[in-house]
Amino acid sequence: MKLTSAGTVPVYTIAGPSTARPLPDWLLRRRKRSAKYDPENLNNFELLQEFEFEEASNCVRVSEDGNWIMSSGTYKPQFHVHSTQELSLSFSRHTKSENTTFILLSSDYTKSLHLQNDRSLEFHTPMGCHYETRLPRFGRDLAYIRQNTEVLIPAVGLSSDGSGYGEVFRLDLERGQYLRPWQVDVGTDDDSAGLQGSINVGSVNVATVAEYTHGLCAFGTSIGTVEFFDPRSKNRVAVLGGQEGEVTALDYSSDGLSLALGTSTGRVRQFDLRNPRPIFDKEHGMGLPIKNIIHLKTPTEERKLLAADKRIIKIWDEDSGDLWTSIEPTIDLNHVAHCPDSGMLLTANEGKQQHIFFIPNLGLAPKWCPFVDNMVHEMENETPAETYDNYKFLTVPEIKSLGLSHLVGKTNLLRPYMHGYFVAAKLYDDVRLIANPYMWEEERAKRVKEKIEKERASRIRGVKKVKVNQKLVNTVLKRQEKREQVDLEAGMLGDERFAKIFEDDDMVIDEASYEFRAINPSTIPGHEDTTAKSTIRYQADSSDSESDADDSKPSDGIVMQVSSSKVQGGKIRDTALGSRVKDLKHVPRKERTSEVVGEKQVTFVPESKKKAKQQEEPAPRHDRRKEGRRSASTNTFRKL
């Protein structure tokens, strides 16, 4: 058992071939033996024992009491009867020729009528073939009128009396004789020869009876018409024409007021008997003849229409006309049957195994296999995301708070599951908005709060990795951290004009170059932080230096450095230019080096040594009271 179609209407495949080509018997038996103890196959089960034929199956039907399933197939020509109470094959019986179709005359399997492809009719009972009769021409379908115990057999070709009409043979089972056939217009055939006619002769393809209502018989023809006969008057009462192609499938609704038909071009239409215009017109999509049509009802009394060709089964909603679900087996189909009052479908197909599909939305499992419902619930538990993709689970109190209690059990929008319900996502959004009109404002306030919290968290020093000049980025971020405004996209870090500084290899800052050392003389190459810095500050008045120094704040960018200061005892002490020159006197002339680039001019003025000693000023006194005090100004030129 596996989930074939996972959507709003899931479909489960209980039995049926998984490949288009059947495996040889010897290979199939070998695989069964090897997979007998496989852990993946331990949970597999066979719903109906030997629900298969040696080559293919032609038709399958379920008895009225639901206790028996009869299906016909080949090769050799045979039919099988399965007991649903035992979930096994009751018996099989071979026939002389292949079975075209069959009907059950009783509420169980004990009386059945089989139409063979050699123009013969066989009546079967539990003991065997009870009676056999032969038709004048090949039959196409079977229908049964219970009130009159008459069997209707639509046939191929024109009647023998030269009237140019096709015939529907009537067999009275109470009298045991054929009655006068009904004549149906199937077109003329000038080249007909004998009773059968030519290759392109017309035919009556299909028949159906409104058994539990008004009892009208409808016959679909090869010229695209549907003729209605009243069994009480034995005459034609109406004709419905204008269909494209041949009419290949017919079915009355349960109330008998509407008739659905399928054509050989793959079109499905539904008519109200009181209106000649179709109220439902759909294209099946494959362009293949429709095999059969079935009217269905869900547990919530929703009307569905099933149509099947040899490639696909489609189920539409009669009221809206929308496609409800579809089933596409791997092999060609010949016939589809529905188990009454359930969601189970049985198929006859061209493969060895017959298909069994289960649609939970269409109804519960039949009474003879209630354990299928439990298995479906277990599979839904294992794969909730696949099965309930467009649903939201709500408990009973939540259903009451949203005001959806009146929809429980009346619509498929609320699907019961465990201690709550699965509600359609679209319905949940609409109802929640009606219950709380301010829901979107609350959601907006929540998102604003989350954004504010995110900004607060971003105040912590961030880390931004760049291709080049990572040291410069770290310096800028450190200054932002001091201002408690860390933003990785602010200032030069987020400006496109400075993007090349952090991306282009040619823009790498070389700390060993002369230009960099001239601007930053106190920077040691390879070290991120310097011990002390002094910057240029342009001031209008020297008295304002103290206030400027206190109010100044670091800015994002590169700061020009023109001089450095010495550090004593961990504190900065400004040094005048004269003291630096004094220190240079102790350096031998030969060891002095000049880093000046460009032209240089030196002028010598002769002086006497005595005069130089008299003009020499004494060294400044060192005041220990000012030791450890920092200068109020960072401008070194004030002390020159």
Side-chain angles (χ1 to χ4, degrees):
M1 183 174 178
K2 61 181 179 179
L3 182 63
T4 305
S5 175
T8 56
V9 184
V11 179
Y12 294 87
T13 302
I14 300 178
S18 57
T19 58
R21 291 185 177 182
L23 297 175
D25 292 340
W26 61 271
L27 182 58
L28 186 61
R29 288 193 297 268
R30 179 185 296 178
R31 288 193 175 183
K32 285 185 177 180
R33 287 195 301 267
S34 61
K36 184 177 181 181
Y37 301 103
D38 190 353
E40 295 182 358
N41 297 327
L42 292 178
N43 295 329
N44 292 350
F45 72 100
E46 190 176 9
L47 183 61
L48 289 176
Q49 180 189 7
E50 299 181 13
F51 193 58
E52 60 184 22
F53 285 88
E54 296 180 0
E55 183 178 343
S57 51
N58 300 325
C59 184
V60 58
R61 298 189 188 275
V62 184
S63 62
E64 291 183 5
D65 57 10
N67 295 330
W68 306 94
I69 298 175
M70 181 178 288
S71 54
S72 61
T74 190
Y75 183 80
K76 301 178 180 179
Q78 56 187 304
F79 65 89
H80 294 171
V81 177
H82 286 80
S83 172
T84 58
Q85 302 299 321
E86 302 294 337
L87 298 177
S88 61
L89 179 64
S90 180
F91 68 90
S92 62
R93 184 174 299 164
H94 292 266
T95 57
K96 293 183 296 184
S97 58
E98 187 175 349
N99 189 287
T100 302
T101 185
F102 68 91
I103 57 174
L104 297 174
L105 302 177
S106 60
S107 60
D108 53 7
Y109 78 97
T110 54
K111 297 178 182 179
S112 60
L113 176 61
H114 299 258
L115 176 63
Q116 308 296 101
N117 61 2
D118 62 348
R119 294 191 291 122
S120 63
L121 284 174
E122 294 184 359
F123 293 86
H124 283 264
T125 62
M127 280 67 69
C129 182
H130 178 72
Y131 183 76
E132 181 181 354
T133 182
R134 196 169 179 84
L135 297 172
R137 289 189 297 278
F138 289 96
R140 285 292 183 88
D141 196 12
L142 292 175
Y144 183 52
I145 307 176
R146 294 185 183 274
Q147 291 78 4
N148 301 338
T149 63
E150 291 183 13
V151 176
L152 306 178
I153 308 101
V156 180
L158 305 178
S159 60
S160 58
D161 57 2
S163 60
Y165 285 91
E167 291 181 328
V168 177
F169 299 113
R170 300 164 58 205
L171 179 59
D172 191 336
L173 300 183
E174 185 176 358
R175 299 181 184 180
Q177 64 180 14
Y178 284 99
L179 305 179
R180 184 174 63 88
W182 286 339
Q183 293 186 345
V184 180
D185 186 8
V186 295
T188 59
D189 186 12
D190 298 335
D191 299 330
S192 61
L195 297 178
Q196 179 61 41
S198 64
I199 297 176
N200 296 324
V201 70
S203 63
V204 184
N205 294 329
V206 64
T208 185
V209 180
E211 184 175 355
Y212 300 104
T213 53
H214 46 70
L216 285 181
C217 303
F219 303 98
T221 67
S222 58
I223 60 175
T225 61
V226 180
E227 298 193 5
F228 298 88
F229 282 77
D230 191 343
R232 296 169 295 182
S233 62
K234 310 296 190 292
N235 294 323
R236 182 187 301 108
V237 295
V239 177
L240 177 64
Q243 311 304 321
E244 300 177 1
E246 303 181 9
V247 178
T248 57
L250 289 173
D251 186 61
Y252 276 109
S253 61
S254 58
D255 55 8
L257 296 179
S258 60
L259 175 73
L261 61 88
T263 65
S264 59
T265 59
R267 185 169 292 276
V268 179
R269 291 179 176 177
Q270 185 168 0
F271 292 86
D272 192 323
L273 296 184
R274 299 160 291 187
N275 189 353
R277 295 183 179 181
I279 59 176
F280 181 91
D281 189 357
K282 290 293 180 180
E283 182 69 33
H284 215 251
M286 296 291 183
L288 301 173
I290 304 299
K291 295 288 186 179
N292 61 323
I293 294 178
I294 306 174
H295 284 85
L296 304 173
K297 276 189 178 182
T298 64
T300 56
E301 298 298 325
E302 295 181 7
R303 297 161 62 93
K304 309 295 180 183
L305 186 64
L306 181 147
D309 57 17
K310 71 175 185 179
R311 294 288 179 84
I312 192 171
I313 302 172
K314 290 188 176 182
I315 303 179
W316 283 282
D317 191 331
E318 289 189 18
D319 299 330
S320 63
D322 298 333
L323 181 64
W324 194 56
T325 188
S326 61
I327 307 171
E328 190 171 1
T330 56
I331 54 179
D332 294 344
L333 300 172
N334 291 327
H335 189 261
V336 179
H338 174 241
C339 294
D341 302 326
S342 70
M344 186 168 290
L345 301 176
L346 310 176
T347 67
N349 42 254
E350 289 297 323
K352 182 176 180 180
Q353 295 178 329
Q354 295 181 248
H355 279 292
I356 300 178
F357 300 104
F358 179 62
I359 307 176
N361 292 18
L362 189 60
L364 299 176
K367 60 181 181 181
W368 44 272
C369 57
F371 55 86
V372 175
D373 289 327
N374 299 332
M375 298 181 64
V376 168
H377 287 311
E378 292 178 1
M379 294 185 66
E380 290 174 351
N381 273 340
E382 295 175 359
T383 58
E386 297 179 2
T387 309
Y388 301 108
D389 191 15
N390 299 324
Y391 286 80
K392 180 177 179 60
F393 181 78
L394 297 178
T395 59
V396 176
E398 292 175 343
I399 291 289
K400 293 181 180 179
S401 63
L402 294 175
L404 298 177
S405 301
H406 64 285
L407 298 179
V408 176
K410 297 182 180 179
T411 177
N412 60 349
L413 297 176
L414 272 69
R415 302 175 59 180
Y417 182 76
M418 295 179 67
H419 61 285
Y421 296 87
F422 275 98
V423 182
K426 185 177 180 180
L427 175 63
Y428 173 72
D429 293 338
D430 296 341
V431 172
R432 189 174 59 162
L433 182 59
I434 295 174
N436 185 10
Y438 302 101
M439 179 184 63
W440 300 118
E441 297 181 4
E442 295 176 357
E443 185 68 20
R444 181 178 178 275
K446 180 180 178 181
R447 293 185 179 181
V448 170
K449 184 178 180 181
E450 291 177 355
K451 187 175 181 180
I452 294 174
E453 294 294 337
K454 185 177 180 181
E455 291 180 354
R456 290 178 179 175
S458 66
R459 293 180 180 178
I460 304 174
R461 182 177 181 181
V463 178
K464 184 174 182 179
K465 299 295 183 181
V466 294
K467 185 176 180 182
V468 295
N469 298 329
Q470 182 66 44
K471 185 177 179 180
L472 177 61
V473 174
N474 296 340
T475 303
V476 174
L477 292 177
K478 186 176 181 180
R479 292 172 180 171
Q480 290 183 359
E481 185 180 357
K482 292 180 179 180
R483 298 195 305 268
E484 297 183 356
Q485 294 180 357
V486 178
D487 190 354
L488 300 179
E489 301 297 332
M492 64 184 304
L493 300 180
D495 197 337
E496 296 180 356
R497 296 174 296 177
F498 301 98
K500 289 187 177 180
I501 298 178
F502 310 107
E503 296 177 0
D504 194 353
D505 294 336
D506 297 335
M507 303 293 289
V508 177
I509 299 175
D510 186 8
E511 296 183 357
S513 64
Y514 168 77
E515 291 81 1
F516 181 84
R517 293 175 62 185
I519 299 174
N520 305 279
S522 60
T523 302
I524 302 176
H527 291 72
E528 182 177 356
D529 299 325
T530 57
T531 57
K533 298 179 182 178
S534 61
T535 59
I536 297 177
R537 301 188 183 275
Y538 299 93
Q539 304 167 356
D541 189 3
S542 61
S543 62
D544 299 332
S545 61
E546 296 181 2
S547 60
D548 294 342
D550 295 335
D551 297 337
S552 62
K553 294 183 179 179
S555 59
D556 297 343
I558 303 175
V559 181
M560 295 182 62
Q561 300 175 356
V562 299
S563 63
S564 62
S565 56
K566 297 181 179 180
V567 179
Q568 287 185 359
K571 298 183 180 181
I572 299 175
R573 183 175 63 85
D574 295 331
T575 306
L577 184 59
S579 60
R580 299 179 188 177
V581 177
K582 182 180 180 181
D583 295 338
L584 291 176
K585 292 181 180 180
H586 301 284
V587 180
R589 185 178 299 273
K590 294 181 179 181
E591 298 180 3
R592 298 177 185 177
T593 59
S594 177
E595 297 179 359
V596 179
V597 179
E599 296 180 356
K600 181 172 60 174
Q601 183 178 2
V602 180
T603 302
F604 296 94
V605 179
E607 292 181 354
S608 62
K609 296 182 179 181
K610 295 181 179 180
K611 188 176 181 180
K613 292 181 179 180
Q614 293 177 358
Q615 294 180 356
E616 184 178 358
E617 297 179 357
R621 293 179 58 187
H622 179 67
D623 191 357
R624 294 193 177 186
R625 293 179 298 175
K626 296 183 180 180
E627 186 178 356
R629 296 184 182 179
R630 70 177 182 87
S631 175
S633 175
T634 58
N635 192 347
T636 309
F637 292 97
R638 292 185 60 199
K639 299 181 181 181
L640 293 179

